Amino acid sequence: MHKNQTLGEFIIENQSSFPYSSGELSSLLNALRLAAKVVNHEVNKAGLVDLFGNSGDINIQGESQQKLDIFANEIFIQALVNREIVCGIVSEENDEFIAINGSDKRHSSKYVVLMDPLDGSSNIDVNVSVGTIFSIYRRISPVGTPVTQEDFLQAGNNQVAAGYVIYGTSTMLVFTTGDGVNGFTLNPALGTFYLSHANIKFPEEGNIYSVNEGNYSNFPQGVKDYIKYCQKIEENRPYASRYIGSMVSDVHRNMIKGGIYMYPSSFPYPEGKLRLLYECNPIAFIVEQAGGKATDGKQRILDLKPNDIHQRRPFFCGNTEMVNKLENFIAKY
Ligand code: AHG
Ligand code: MN
Ligand code: MN
């Protein structure tokens, strides 16, 4: 690392430490970086849509206006497809996985990407931060053959890289290739990401808990007990309650300030709301790389063997000690 290092420089300098470094993963990260900038530009002017009088379905160019999560989906897919650097994509916005047939490099890529193109999208209308989450694996099926469902249904342990973009007060790209977590902040005037948060680690102690407490009465008893524990006046408690409703932002804050994020099973989500493959797994990888812990309440998230590309899972992550404490409460029932 050196002063004012850009994301592009960081990727080049660290390529040899990337798993299986062939340059392909670097190109893939570069494509995601580009898409993040395009989505950032659009997210930033979201509030202007009404100002220009385009509140209907048709905008000035006569194109039908898209919801930002659909827009983000298309931008990320386009960036990956155009550069022919992945053989397949799973997205929250697409029911089926997307198989990419490259022009001359047919099925030749060895990576698949799974993503939530816009996380927390209900926050867009009220100018609250949203994010993008991505997860990268090496395919299981042989290079040169069409991508298969099995290429996507891998345990989180197999991830070669994962990251998120947070479109917040400033825009950041945070990612890991299994060698720590690094955060880059976008300088909007230059359109360049600079390394601003090198080797992010959870602080020793956390004192924030983040959960949608409106669902409290439907939480499992162990989770209810843990929330009461967080609120108890004892030692360094009560903890502060902070919940944005954008997981990326909630986890990002907790990773920097210290805290626990929870999305338990509750009505109407018996398996929790968050998706294992493109929400829980990438965040779990990052959280562990930052010295924290991620669990479904009983098992380590990264050990779970998925059976459906859109499956949900209860999700808890944060400072290791806090997550351990929560697991102890859950284990009582
Ligand atoms: P998405 O916008 O991709 O559907 O995901 C939103 C997720 C997550 O970001 C957030 O923490 C959670 O849903 C909020 O759910 P509740 O409104 O139920 O708290
Ligand atoms: Mn989401
Ligand atoms: Mn989404």
Side-chain angles (χ1 to χ4, degrees):
M1 177 188 137
H2 54 73
K3 207 166 182 281
N4 295 334
Q5 189 172 29
T6 68
L7 175 54
E9 290 163 359
F10 180 92
I11 290 172
I12 293 166
E13 274 181 31
N14 290 279
Q15 189 177 303
S16 58
S17 74
F18 291 172
Y20 318 104
S21 63
S22 66
E24 251 185 283
L25 184 59
S26 301
S27 316
L28 183 38
L29 290 169
N30 281 329
L32 294 169
R33 171 183 66 163
L34 171 68
K37 282 194 254 188
V38 177
V39 171
N40 174 65
H41 182 67
E42 209 61 25
V43 166
N44 270 298
K45 58 189 171 98
L48 291 173
V49 172
D50 278 339
L51 209 67
F52 293 149
N54 295 328
S55 51
D57 286 333
I58 307 291
N59 69 13
I60 263 168
Q61 289 83 28
E63 300 156 337
S64 58
Q65 263 173 30
Q66 294 169 326
K67 283 184 65 190
L68 265 172
D69 34 16
I70 305 295
F71 175 82
N73 191 40
E74 284 177 4
I75 294 299
F76 275 92
I77 290 174
Q78 206 179 76
L80 295 169
V81 171
N82 286 354
R83 294 180 176 206
E84 296 187 14
I85 43 178
V86 291
C87 59
I89 302 169
V90 155
S91 166
E92 183 186 88
E93 301 297 336
N94 299 72
D95 291 345
E96 311 284 334
F97 69 81
I98 302 165
I100 295 160
N101 303 323
S103 50
D104 47 351
K105 302 190 251 172
R106 200 171 164 79
H107 313 304
S108 68
S109 308
K110 56 175 177 280
Y111 293 107
V112 293
V113 169
L114 300 89
M115 63 173 179
D116 178 355
L118 209 65
D119 177 63
S121 43
S122 65
N123 281 324
I124 285 271
D125 294 346
V126 289
N127 211 352
V128 170
S129 56
V130 290
T132 294
I133 312 172
F134 60 88
S135 169
I136 302 172
Y137 292 84
R138 278 163 67 89
R139 63 189 300 179
I140 291 172
S141 59
V143 169
T145 63
V147 71
T148 67
Q149 179 106 338
E150 269 47 56
D151 295 323
F152 301 101
L153 295 180
Q154 301 191 49
N157 268 329
N158 291 356
Q159 288 173 101
V160 294
Y164 59 78
V165 185
I166 172 166
Y167 311 97
T169 39
S170 56
T171 292
M172 283 188 74
L173 196 154
V174 176
F175 76 99
T176 182
T177 53
D179 187 22
V181 181
N182 290 287
F184 300 81
T185 301
L186 182 66
N187 178 333
L190 304 176
T192 306
F193 283 102
Y194 289 94
L195 180 60
S196 53
H197 296 62
N199 197 19
I200 300 174
K201 294 286 176 205
F202 278 87
E204 282 289 308
E205 277 185 24
N207 60 3
I208 295 171
Y209 73 102
S210 309
V211 65
N212 183 346
E213 246 167 297
N215 297 328
Y216 182 87
S217 57
N218 288 299
F219 287 160
Q221 192 55 46
V223 176
K224 286 182 176 175
D225 291 355
Y226 178 71
I227 291 173
K228 287 296 159 216
Y229 165 88
C230 293
Q231 297 170 342
K232 201 162 180 195
I233 304 174
E234 211 172 73
E235 295 162 7
N236 59 342
R237 286 168 284 133
Y239 297 149
S241 164
R242 294 284 182 273
Y243 190 72
I244 296 167
S246 276
M247 181 184 45
V248 167
S249 316
D250 280 308
V251 171
H252 181 75
R253 179 204 49 237
N254 290 356
M255 202 159 71
I256 287 170
K257 293 196 165 180
I260 183 169
Y261 174 89
M262 303 181 266
Y263 209 108
S265 61
S266 71
F267 179 82
Y269 301 113
E271 284 297 302
K273 181 185 181 191
L274 300 177
R275 316 292 187 136
L276 176 59
L277 292 187
Y278 43 81
E279 291 182 317
C280 308
N281 272 339
I283 297 294
F285 189 20
I286 291 166
V287 162
E288 285 196 5
Q289 284 291 317
K293 180 168 171 170
T295 174
D296 69 356
K298 295 194 168 81
Q299 292 184 74
R300 180 173 174 247
I301 287 290
L302 297 181
D303 286 336
L304 300 172
K305 176 75 183 99
N307 50 41
D308 184 286
I309 57 173
H310 294 296
Q311 87 185 71
R312 301 175 194 269
R313 202 72 197 158
F315 186 59
F316 309 92
C317 71
N319 282 64
T320 301
E321 272 179 39
M322 298 176 95
V323 177
N324 285 341
K325 191 79 187 172
L326 166 76
E327 278 187 332
N328 290 342
F329 278 103
I330 291 174
K332 288 181 185 155
Y333 298 92

